[in-house]
Amino acid sequence: MIETHLNTTCRIGGVTFKNPVVMASGTFGFGKEYGKLYDLSRLGGISGKGVTLHPRPGNPGIRVYETPSGMLNSVGLENPGIPAFLEEECAFWETLDTVRIVNLGGGTVQDYVEGARLIDEDSNRRQARGRRAVDMIELNISCPNVKAGGMAYGIKTCVAREVVREVRAATTLPLMVKLSPNAEDIADMAQMCEEEGAEAVSLINTLSGMKIDARKRRSVFDNLYAGLSGPAVKPVALRMVHQVCKRVTIPVVGMGGVSSAEDLIEFIMAGAEAVQIGTYNFVNWQAGADLVEGVERFMIEEGIADLNEIRGIL
Amino acid sequence: MATIISNRRVAEGIYVMHAAGRFEAKAGQFFMVRGWESYPLLSRPLSVYDQDEQGVKFLYKVAGEGTELLSRMQAGEDVTLLGPLGNGFPAAAGRTALVGGGIGVAPLFYAARHLEQADLYLGYSVEVYEEYEFRSIGHPVTIDCGGRVLDLVDFDAYDTVFVCGPEPMLRAAQIKSAMSAGKAAVYVSLENRMACGIGACLVCSVGCENGRKKACSDGPVFRAEEVVLA
Ligand SMILES: Cc1cc2nc3c(=O)[nH]c(=O)nc-3n(C[C@H](O)[C@H](O)[C@H](O)COP(=O)(O)OP(=O)(O)OC[C@H]3O[C@@H](n4cnc5c(N)ncnc54)[C@H](O)[C@@H]3O)c2cc1C
Ligand SMILES: Cc1cc2nc3c(=O)[nH]c(=O)nc-3n(C[C@H](O)[C@H](O)[C@H](O)COP(=O)(O)O)c2cc1C
Ligand code: FES
């Protein structure tokens, strides 16, 4: 930390983040690998790799393709399943001095609910022993809805409402719903989350995209479409965060292409409480540490003592 | 940041970069390399070609935008290196063959330098490069240009075989290994596309007999019969 009198803290659902720099799901594993490169306690928080009730092998074929100032990924939610996550990763999470967020995915509403219940129960058991590994659930509604023919839950507000309502009822942990930019109306989606009792929303997940290998005359990805992230999506993400901030009163966590402290500040000015960093971790392996410092430097240079002075000024 | 000591062209589209720094890399490990700020977005994985008191060397082929940018860099300029990463080659037991196809010869040099005994089989498609360097190690070197180098190797004559090269060659090595008497432990070095390079993003994931593994942090070297190549 550069200056101690700066107030960079954020509050979401009763949880305090020491600063607005949160690592985005899927780009930071469960923190172990980056934890060997720098001190994770400098971060505001970490959202872990998306987990589902049952283990998933993820998608076959090529999983990453670089695009101008961005990348397409088709990881397909490869994860060890929630029981294995609780067993193998949470002991490490217990040791972390940063906000720990579980990113929860699913294929059916029952999967989501059962997953949330397992996380909740585990959390209660740990708390009874005076421990804590999870501070918050981030509900990823971009998963394909098995029942609705594979269309993501996060497209239509009425389809998403059921998942949000059921998961809300299944956990007492603070709930943040992660919205897809592919939603028909992302502000409506956010409003629905507020109505259903979510403590926060986060956005944006990746934008659905495509790459064709013209020589081979086929899609680069076995799964046909893939998710676009990185600097290329930032203007879209910022506009969506701004729209959502205008609609809801619950905290909004912004993300999409953040690659500098000024990018991050833009999201705060659009109204975000905190900001997540995804793809930039691949560009700069100490992205988190650098951005925490960069935000403090920006505040000093601009004479800002508290981020609230600039939050939502537009 | 590592300062470039030299960056020289050794054949058409093939370069050797020597970058300064104290590293303790093992053969078969790699670095995530970038010689630019923010564009291209991702760093490029390059194997350790050699290492000396001054730093680390990469033998690389201009394949696209990133390696093209690297090839134009001059001594005195800086590259950003993350590494050494991955597990590299396991300890070789008994008689060892090192088989490289194309730019897949790169990780074999440092491996060969550290082995008491090894037979090198190097396959090139058009132009032979670094032949003098490979021969100066002192191990027997068999060179093939334009053919299939794998056909020159009798797996049953070895206890350990390391294969590096393009994916079709690795698949061929798997088949050859399965059809041999099975005396040799055969290893392949994968070149999956990577983003983080350290095991956090799963874009490099490979199917293995016991579930998925990460090419970057569990590999890039795997037992040939362990991995499922697409
Ligand atoms: C562990 C490992 C070790 C490697 N060691 C060497 C080496 O010693 N020498 C060498 O010349 N090459 C090596 N490669 C391949 C090298 O990384 C690619 O040729 C290079 O990334 C191409 O980048 P580009 O920008 O020139 O090409 P582009 O095609 O423009 O690259 C676009 C994207 O695709 C990725 N990509 C393209 N081709 C490959 C490939 N064959 N393997 C992995 N990613 C690819 C790039 O990293 C980049 O993200 C290695 C790859 C891996 C995974
Ligand atoms: C490789 C990769 C894997 C991702 N996995 C997940 C995931 O499991 N769950 C999730 O909610 N979002 C996932 N995301 C989306 C990111 O968390 C983030 O919303 C998105 O990448 C936009 O931010 P960025 O431009 O800073 O990367 C993933 C993104 C990438 C690049
Ligand atoms: S490249 Fe990220 S896990 Fe291997």
Side-chain angles (χ1 to χ4, degrees), chain A residues 26-30 33-34 37 49 56-71 73 75 78-79 229-231 279 281-285, chain B residues 32 34 36-44 65 80-83 85 192-206 211-214 217 230:
Chain A
T27 62
F28 209 71
F30 297 109
E33 296 81 13
Y34 284 99
L37 302 177
K49 172 66 202 160
R56 283 173 55 102
N59 291 333
I62 285 182
R63 288 186 174 188
V64 61
Y65 189 89
E66 191 167 337
T67 62
S69 295
M71 62 176 268
N73 92 79
V75 172
E78 176 179 337
N79 80 93
S229 64
T279 304
N281 288 300
F282 310 147
V283 177
N284 172 2
W285 55 262
Chain B
M32 294 299 284
R34 56 194 301 125
W36 51 83
E37 259 315 293
S38 52
Y39 187 92
L41 195 66
L42 302 174
S43 305
R44 275 30 180 174
E65 214 172 348
T80 306
L81 302 180
L82 174 60
L85 303 171
N192 287 20
R193 281 158 187 266
M194 295 179 178
C196 72
I198 61 172
C201 73
L202 305 182
V203 305
C204 67
S205 169
V206 296
R212 315 273 321 174
K213 287 195 175 173
K214 302 168 205 172
S217 54

Side-chain angles (χ1 to χ4, degrees), chain A residues 116-148:
Chain A
R117 198 168 286 136
L118 288 181
I119 295 163
D120 205 67
E121 282 169 11
D122 180 84
S123 182
N124 290 335
R125 265 196 305 275
R126 279 177 213 271
Q127 222 158 345
R129 289 179 291 145
R131 294 186 178 152
R132 190 177 259 290
V134 169
D135 300 296
M136 189 177 292
I137 292 179
E138 181 178 57
L139 175 65
N140 175 10
I141 54 170
S142 304
C143 301
N145 179 340
V146 181
K147 264 204 209 138

Side-chain angles (χ1 to χ4, degrees), chain A residues 192-241:
Chain A
M192 175 278 287
C193 295
E194 179 165 28
E195 287 163 8
E196 295 299 333
E199 272 85 358
V201 290
S202 57
L203 64 149
I204 62 174
N205 210 315
T206 55
L207 272 156
S208 181
M210 187 178 189
K211 169 67 192 176
I212 296 171
D213 185 328
R215 300 270 172 197
K216 293 189 181 150
R217 305 183 181 197
R218 61 182 186 86
S219 170
V220 162
F221 296 103
D222 285 12
N223 214 28
L224 197 59
Y225 302 148
L228 182 67
S229 64
V233 310
K234 203 199 98 192
V236 178
L238 190 62
R239 183 267 293 172
M240 287 182 165
V241 166

Side-chain angles (χ1 to χ4, degrees), chain B residues 143-225:
Chain B
I143 289 193
D144 175 84
C145 196
R148 285 165 45 101
V149 67
L150 212 50
D151 292 346
L152 307 178
V153 192
D154 176 9
F155 279 16
D156 288 325
Y158 295 97
D159 300 298
T160 310
V161 179
F162 292 127
V163 185
C164 304
E167 206 162 293
M169 178 172 163
L170 303 185
R171 271 197 298 273
Q174 282 183 316
I175 294 166
K176 194 174 165 104
S177 172
M179 294 196 329
S180 68
K183 174 169 160 274
V186 180
Y187 296 88
V188 294
S189 184
L190 303 190
E191 289 197 354
N192 287 20
R193 281 158 187 266
M194 295 179 178
C196 72
I198 61 172
C201 73
L202 305 182
V203 305
C204 67
S205 169
V206 296
C208 289
E209 54 188 6
N210 301 318
R212 315 273 321 174
K213 287 195 175 173
K214 302 168 205 172
C216 64
S217 54
D218 298 321
V221 181
F222 292 92
R223 279 190 296 111
E225 67 273 19

Side-chain angles (χ1 to χ4, degrees), chain A residues 72-85:
Chain A
L72 288 161
N73 92 79
S74 179
V75 172
L77 268 178
E78 176 179 337
N79 80 93
I82 288 169
F85 160 73

Side-chain angles (χ1 to χ4, degrees), chain A residues 237-298:
Chain A
L238 190 62
R239 183 267 293 172
M240 287 182 165
V241 166
H242 185 255
Q243 276 178 326
V244 166
C245 288
K246 291 283 171 220
R247 182 75 71 88
V248 299
T249 60
I250 51 175
V252 174
V253 175
M255 80 192 89
V258 172
S259 311
S260 68
E262 283 193 27
D263 286 349
L264 192 149
I265 295 288
E266 286 186 58
F267 277 89
I268 304 265
M269 288 180 169
E273 182 70 18
V275 179
Q276 292 190 15
I277 316 301
T279 304
Y280 185 52
N281 288 300
F282 310 147
V283 177
N284 172 2
W285 55 262
Q286 48 188 349
D290 283 357
L291 289 177
V292 169
E293 212 180 290
V295 167
E296 290 173 358
R297 195 172 319 115
F298 182 91

